[in-house]
Amino acid sequence: MFVPSCGIRTMFHVKPGADDPTPARPEPIPARLQVPTPRRSPDRPPEEPRPKTAQPSQKTGPMDREHHFPSPKAVGPLMLRSRKPGRHEARHMMDAPTTTTDAKDADEHEPPPVDGKEPPISRGPSADAVLVRRTLAEIAPIADRVTSYFYALLFVRHPGLRDMFPVAMDTQRDRLLKALLTAAEHMDDAPVLTAYLQNLGKGHRKYGTHPTHYPAVGEALVGALARYATTWDDATQAAWVRTYTTISQIMIDAAAEDERTAPAQWHAEVVSHDLRTPDVAVVTLRPDQPYPFLAGQYTTLETPWWPRIWRHYSFASAPRPDGLLSLHVKAVPAGWVSNALVHRARPGDVLRLGPPSGSMTVDHSTDTGLLCLGGGTGIAPIKALVEDVAEHGDRRPVDVFYGARSGHDLYDIDTMLRLQKTFPWLSVHPVTGAQGHLPDAVCRYGPWGERDAYLSGPLGMVRRGVDALRGAGVPSERIRHDFLAELAPATSG
């Protein structure tokens, strides 16, 4: 959850041993933050009263002083302009695990007008971006301590919020830092950052997140950064204030807008469970209400056996007339959700789904050919893309490279070969470990410089694939995947 913070210095002491053995010391942290509210259009009716959810603690103390927070319209050089993204931009915006490639050139970002005049376009990072990235670079070597301290502050000050998080916090801690790095990397690319945060805001609705929760999280976040950052001064704190004012408002507005047209979550009944290999299952679901999505997108899923633990799964087909949803799931070692779906789920079980997300979708306004790499169960969204091209009557060339360790692990190769026989524009290339890494095999064919490339599979495969395709001459803006946060480069000044 991203939140605003306030630039006021107070004194706060943490008991020694709460999360590290060092003695407590005074820390510069923000006072209680003013709660941002969703912007409402003039024709929008007043909202109905919300059901009560966990609220921040009302205990008195140094965090209870009320202070005004800068308006999102006055956040200086970080003001993000709303505009419809271009074709290539829209393809690499998304929520975590998320998809993107490199940010657009600096001339795509325009600073706000000053005194009615458009200032010169800045080709370097903004001053706030430099300071925020410096903080993140400083805490990167001790990220585990920072995130542990952040959650300790949050739950001590606001114990009512603990129930919104999973019992096991390891994955949650990783996600916080990844989200921070992703936002920092794209601070000066308004369209990419805005779309990423809008997806986060919409996705957080399924957790029961309310605008009043943002200040509580912001106080804990800035408190943790102030404690562990090597360089923390007034200018750095002010940069974080402006940054998180903007970030929180984008997320809150997106959630409020999404609430008008979509539920926070869907219930979906398992209608079939097909065990393709000892550790791979195809699970078909029937949602309790229409679930709008695009081929290539993914959902977040919660099982009844592991409450509050959500995992991402891509849809394995284009939208179907019967409304059913198909997922490919591989049970991974120590994977609570994946093992439950593969070995425990049966028809009749009911799961919960978050909203669809991801921009690894086909642009049907062009006839550009597609190059698709699917590793393991990563073939699921690739198959959906092929179906989508077929349904739109396109005859663009599509090459699918389907990789796995062995032929036995190519569990859906028969389906892909049937599609190849049906559509003459489709070429399917099976790749096993004996032929080397999947990205290396792809580069032996080609050239691919004029194709739109899609990568889906394990993170390591996608990372190697992005590097290999760039090296083979595929422009970065033509490469799509769903690992925006994981592949965000280390921040620097």
Side-chain angles (χ1 to χ4, degrees):
M1 187 189 304
F2 280 99
V3 293
S5 57
C6 187
I8 235 8
R9 290 181 180 271
T10 68
M11 304 295 285
F12 179 77
H13 293 271
V14 178
K15 294 181 180 179
D19 103 292
D20 66 42
T22 58
R25 61 180 176 87
E27 317 229 2
I29 56 174
R32 181 167 298 281
L33 308 180
Q34 184 180 17
V35 179
T37 56
R39 300 187 184 98
R40 183 181 293 120
S41 58
D43 59 342
R44 180 176 175 179
E47 296 181 358
E48 294 295 326
R50 297 173 181 264
K52 291 185 177 181
T53 57
Q55 300 295 321
S57 169
Q58 299 300 317
K59 294 181 180 179
T60 60
M63 303 300 293
D64 290 314
R65 302 175 189 171
E66 200 71 40
H67 286 273
H68 293 288
F69 202 64
S71 165
K73 296 180 180 180
V75 294
L78 201 65
M79 186 176 75
L80 304 181
R81 295 181 173 185
S82 298
R83 69 178 177 89
K84 186 176 181 179
R87 179 173 74 92
H88 291 306
E89 293 168 335
R91 289 180 176 180
H92 62 272
M93 306 171 187
M94 64 167 306
D95 167 16
T98 72
T99 106
T100 195
T101 59
D102 287 343
K104 295 284 286 180
D105 292 336
D107 16 358
E108 288 293 326
H109 173 68
E110 297 180 358
V114 178
D115 298 328
K117 298 180 181 179
E118 293 289 338
I121 295 175
S122 172
R123 296 187 179 275
S126 66
D128 283 355
V130 171
L131 293 174
V132 168
R133 291 170 183 170
R134 182 185 69 184
T135 300
L136 293 173
E138 290 175 356
I139 67 169
I142 52 171
D144 288 345
R145 294 177 64 189
V146 176
T147 50
S148 295
Y149 188 72
F150 159 73
Y151 284 110
L153 288 180
L154 179 65
F155 297 149
V156 166
R157 297 175 186 174
H158 307 285
L161 296 182
R162 182 62 182 89
D163 290 340
M164 297 178 65
F165 293 83
V167 175
M169 293 291 293
D170 293 347
T171 301
Q172 186 67 31
R173 288 176 181 146
D174 292 341
R175 286 178 178 172
L176 171 67
L177 185 62
K178 289 174 183 175
L180 286 172
L181 291 172
T182 302
E185 177 61 25
H186 297 285
M187 278 179 64
D188 289 326
D189 193 335
V192 173
L193 178 60
T194 300
Y196 174 70
L197 295 173
Q198 286 173 339
N199 274 317
L200 279 183
K202 295 174 185 178
H204 276 59
R205 290 183 57 215
K206 66 179 177 286
Y207 304 129
T209 304
H210 188 271
T212 57
H213 297 146
Y214 283 76
V217 181
E219 294 165 2
L221 179 58
V222 174
L225 295 175
R227 178 180 180 91
Y228 286 101
T230 306
T231 308
W232 188 265
D233 51 24
D234 291 342
T236 303
Q237 182 158 302
W240 280 96
V241 168
R242 287 186 291 269
T243 301
Y244 278 86
T245 302
T246 301
I247 286 174
S248 61
Q249 191 67 65
I250 292 173
M251 293 182 65
I252 290 170
D253 287 347
E257 184 65 25
D258 189 58
E259 188 177 10
R260 301 174 62 184
T261 59
Q265 55 187 241
W266 286 254
H267 290 86
E269 179 185 0
V270 177
V271 295
S272 72
H273 186 280
D274 179 14
L275 195 64
R276 296 289 184 88
T277 74
D279 59 358
V280 173
V282 175
V283 182
T284 304
L285 308 174
R286 179 187 293 114
D288 61 344
Q289 50 190 311
Y291 190 96
F293 73 98
L294 299 175
Q297 289 190 308
Y298 63 88
T299 186
T300 50
L301 179 152
E302 179 198 52
T303 71
W305 307 288
W306 297 104
R308 302 191 302 280
I309 297 179
W310 297 77
R311 293 293 183 265
H312 299 83
Y313 291 99
S314 294
F315 298 109
S317 68
R320 296 167 45 163
D322 59 11
L324 297 182
L325 309 173
S326 179
L327 309 174
H328 292 188
V329 184
K330 178 180 176 62
V332 298
W336 299 346
V337 174
S338 63
N339 277 278
L341 289 172
V342 172
H343 300 301
R344 186 168 182 176
R346 293 293 180 270
D349 290 333
V350 177
L351 314 176
R352 289 204 296 175
L353 305 180
S357 190
S359 59
M360 203 177 76
T361 57
V362 176
D363 181 2
H364 293 287
S365 66
T366 77
D367 59 359
T368 304
L370 308 185
L371 170 62
C372 302
L373 284 68
T377 53
I379 196 63
I382 301 301
K383 184 166 77 74
L385 293 176
V386 171
E387 293 179 0
D388 188 43
V389 170
E391 289 176 5
H392 280 78
D394 297 344
R395 298 189 64 81
R396 67 179 81 194
V398 178
D399 281 81
V400 172
F401 288 81
Y402 180 13
R405 288 190 178 90
S406 66
H408 174 74
D409 294 318
L410 296 171
Y411 66 90
D412 213 27
I413 189 61
D414 291 342
T415 301
M416 298 306 301
L417 293 178
R418 282 197 299 270
L419 290 172
Q420 178 180 243
K421 290 182 180 179
T422 304
F423 305 113
W425 42 261
L426 173 64
S427 298
V428 176
H429 311 272
V431 179
T432 62
Q435 299 165 267
H437 291 303
L438 178 59
D440 299 332
V442 173
C443 291
R444 289 196 289 269
Y445 292 78
W448 307 115
E450 299 301 318
R451 297 288 186 97
D452 286 339
Y454 298 79
L455 296 90
S456 178
L459 174 58
M461 186 223 83
V462 173
R463 179 180 283 113
R464 288 192 298 270
V466 170
D467 292 341
L469 292 177
R470 286 175 179 164
V474 180
S476 294
E477 64 270 16
R478 289 184 176 271
I479 302 175
R480 263 75 85 188
H481 58 82
D482 281 344
F483 283 108
L484 175 65
E486 285 79 357
L487 297 188
T491 58
S492 64

